[in-house]
């Protein structure tokens, strides 16, 4: 709310239009093609890692030999690409829905949101392609558990306010992961790193638009609807945690079965726990703690609502500590 509340509706519209125009300009300038710009005829280098140590928590498994640690990063990197393809299904569908509200209004916003949806379709295509490429270099038995359309149906059944909050969180953490962990790690597969460099470039505009749309939705709803939004956002975080738990269990089973040596019961339990802690960090906690997301959330909620959200997050945050 903050400054937007002090502006007249006309001023607010003008500044949102300018920000949408800037997103279009940047989107046109950096637009990339999957094969020509990202893949460039390359394959994944399995002699190098995919998921950086800063996100994978591999340092919590000191008994892994270098080859096993690399395989651990491949499993997590494969899931990371699949998770983006998953969330982009509902983000794309929601963006198309939002664009309709501008169809006979702000044509700049409409164009920006259509580009946004188009980019998410391209990203899904990229991640599907990567799954096929990565599968060729890894042992059989990997499974990606959640089904994108079932997840999208469940997410989109929640109110706009909550879906926009979750979406902003995801678009912000995708950038934070790149800047803080993927970019600085010099031991990653060049192709894997490039995928997330190019992805990050387009996600930057998405996060700006999510924030505009979330604030606009917040200005439309009344106090009761906003409170329902908080309830729905908490439910969505719980749903993400359910997905993360199922995928972590599946990936740990696959890793233990395929990584090489036989692990003791204690080591197996540690591997299972570390997959879960890493995924909770990657998909929930790192985003919730990003200052840019936290600031918007705080601006749109009351202290009591922030407490409710904090209480829901506490068990997940403490499990990643
Ligand atoms: Fe994306
Ligand atoms: Fe995005």
């Amino acid at each position: 709310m903050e400054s937007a509340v002090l502006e007249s509706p006309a001023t607010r519209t003008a500044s949102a239009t300018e920000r949408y125009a800037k997103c279009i300009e940047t989107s046109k300038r950096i637009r990339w093609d999957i094969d020509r710009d990202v893949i460039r005829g390359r394959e994944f280098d399995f002699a190098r890692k995919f998921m950086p140590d800063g996100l994978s928590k591999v340092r919590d498994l000191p008994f892994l030999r270098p080859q096993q640690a690399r395989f651990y990063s491949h499993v997590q990197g494969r899931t990371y690409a699949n998770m983006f393809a998953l969330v982009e299904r509902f983000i794309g569908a929601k963006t198309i829905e939002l664009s309709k509200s501008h169809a006979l209004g702000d044509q700049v916003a409409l164009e920006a949101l259509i580009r946004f949806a188009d980019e998410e379709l391209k990203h899904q295509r990229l991640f599907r392609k990567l799954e096929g490429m990565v599968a060729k270099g890894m042992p059989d038995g990997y499974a990606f558990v959640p089904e994108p359309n079932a997840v999208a149906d469940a997410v989109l059944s929640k109110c706009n306010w909550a879906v926009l909050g979750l979406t902003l969180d995801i678009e912000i953490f995708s950038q934070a992961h790149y800047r803080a962990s993927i970019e600085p790690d010099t031991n990653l597969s060049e192709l894997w790193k490039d995928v997330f460099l190019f992805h990050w470039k387009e996600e930057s505009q998405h996060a700006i638009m999510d924030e505009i749309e979330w604030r606009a939705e917040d200005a439309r709803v009344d106090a009761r609807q906003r409170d329902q939004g908080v309830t729905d956002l908490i439910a969505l975080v719980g749903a993400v945690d359910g997905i993360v738990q199922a995928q972590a269990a599946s990936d740990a089973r696959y890793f233990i079965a395929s990584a090489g040596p036989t692990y003791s019961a204690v080591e197996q339990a540690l591997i299972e726990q570390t997959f879960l802690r890493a995924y909770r960090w990657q998909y929930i906690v790192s985003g919730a703690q990003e200052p840019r997301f936290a600031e918007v959330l705080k601006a749109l909620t009351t202290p009591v609502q922030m407490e409710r959200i904090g209480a829901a997050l506490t068990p997940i945050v403490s499990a990643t500590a």
Side-chain angles (χ1 to χ4, degrees), residues 15-31 108-116 119 201-213 292:
S15 70
T17 302
E18 282 163 17
R19 293 173 76 198
Y20 273 122
K22 184 85 187 124
C23 287
I24 295 171
E25 186 193 314
T26 312
S27 158
K28 284 182 176 167
R29 183 160 37 81
I30 55 126
R31 187 165 181 83
V108 178
L110 176 63
E111 182 181 349
L113 289 168
I114 286 173
R115 293 187 75 88
F116 179 164
E119 286 163 2
K201 287 182 181 185
E202 291 187 338
E203 292 302 310
S204 301
Q205 283 68 253
H206 298 180
I208 293 167
M209 291 186 265
D210 292 330
E211 185 180 337
I212 297 171
E213 289 293 329
R292 183 172 161 201

Side-chain angles (χ1 to χ4, degrees), residues 6-306:
L6 303 174
E7 295 167 349
S8 71
T11 314
R12 189 168 62 231
T13 305
S15 70
T17 302
E18 282 163 17
R19 293 173 76 198
Y20 273 122
K22 184 85 187 124
C23 287
I24 295 171
E25 186 193 314
T26 312
S27 158
K28 284 182 176 167
R29 183 160 37 81
I30 55 126
R31 187 165 181 83
W32 46 263
D33 177 80
I34 292 174
D35 292 308
R36 186 192 62 217
D37 302 309
V38 184
I39 298 183
R40 307 202 298 271
R42 294 176 293 174
E43 294 287 340
F44 286 102
D45 181 0
F46 285 91
R48 302 176 90 172
K49 290 179 296 177
F50 293 176
M51 204 67 175
D53 295 355
L55 292 170
S56 74
K57 300 210 178 275
V58 69
R59 294 190 193 102
D60 296 349
L61 299 170
F63 55 87
L64 295 186
R65 295 177 203 147
Q67 194 185 346
Q68 298 158 359
R70 215 161 40 235
F71 179 59
Y72 175 86
S73 82
H74 296 158
V75 178
Q76 288 208 7
R78 185 172 181 178
T79 286
Y80 194 66
N82 280 319
M83 284 289 258
F84 274 107
L86 175 82
V87 298
E88 285 172 352
R89 183 67 55 89
F90 78 74
I91 292 174
K94 177 54 75 179
T95 307
I96 290 166
E97 192 187 306
L98 292 170
S99 72
K100 283 186 193 159
S101 68
H102 295 286
L104 299 179
D106 185 341
Q107 299 297 288
V108 178
L110 176 63
E111 182 181 349
L113 289 168
I114 286 173
R115 293 187 75 88
F116 179 164
D118 177 55
E119 286 163 2
E120 294 295 34
L121 286 167
K122 179 178 67 176
H123 299 174
Q124 288 180 63
R125 193 152 37 84
L126 168 67
F127 293 127
R128 280 197 300 272
K129 185 164 184 152
L130 297 188
E131 168 55 27
M133 291 169 70
V134 171
K136 284 191 288 182
M138 292 175 70
D140 289 344
Y142 173 89
F144 188 67
V145 179
E147 203 287 304
N149 284 336
V151 171
D153 273 341
V155 171
L156 297 173
S157 73
K158 301 297 181 191
C159 67
N160 250 346
W161 192 97
V163 178
L164 284 164
L166 178 67
T167 304
L168 178 65
D169 172 46
I170 292 168
E171 314 261 32
I172 285 178
F173 82 55
S174 71
Q175 296 175 65
H177 290 176
Y178 185 79
R179 280 196 313 269
S181 300
I182 299 173
E183 205 278 332
D185 195 324
T186 54
N187 297 312
L188 305 186
S189 151
E190 287 297 327
L191 174 56
W192 199 85
K193 198 166 181 166
D194 271 355
V195 165
F196 290 97
L197 166 64
F198 282 94
H199 189 235
W200 167 69
K201 287 182 181 185
E202 291 187 338
E203 292 302 310
S204 301
Q205 283 68 253
H206 298 180
I208 293 167
M209 291 186 265
D210 292 330
E211 185 180 337
I212 297 171
E213 289 293 329
W214 192 17
R215 287 180 183 274
E217 176 67 10
D218 186 74
R220 281 189 291 267
V221 298
D222 61 27
R224 191 195 57 76
Q225 291 167 321
R226 185 174 302 105
D227 207 53
Q228 182 60 46
V230 171
T231 301
D232 281 5
L233 185 59
I234 290 169
L236 286 173
V237 172
V240 173
D241 194 47
I243 289 170
V244 156
Q245 287 189 44
Q247 191 58 38
S250 174
D251 285 357
R253 269 195 306 275
Y254 171 63
F255 176 83
I256 290 164
S258 314
T262 308
Y263 296 102
S264 69
V266 172
E267 288 170 338
Q268 289 192 24
L270 267 173
I271 289 167
E272 284 164 16
Q273 289 160 17
T274 308
F275 265 101
L276 180 56
R277 279 194 304 116
Y279 289 179
R280 280 176 153 167
W281 168 252
Q282 289 161 25
Y283 303 110
I284 300 174
V285 180
S286 62
Q289 290 184 350
E290 265 303 300
R292 183 172 161 201
F293 176 75
E295 269 168 35
V296 182
L297 182 64
K298 195 171 165 208
L300 301 187
T301 50
T302 64
V304 172
Q305 288 166 339
M306 279 299 278

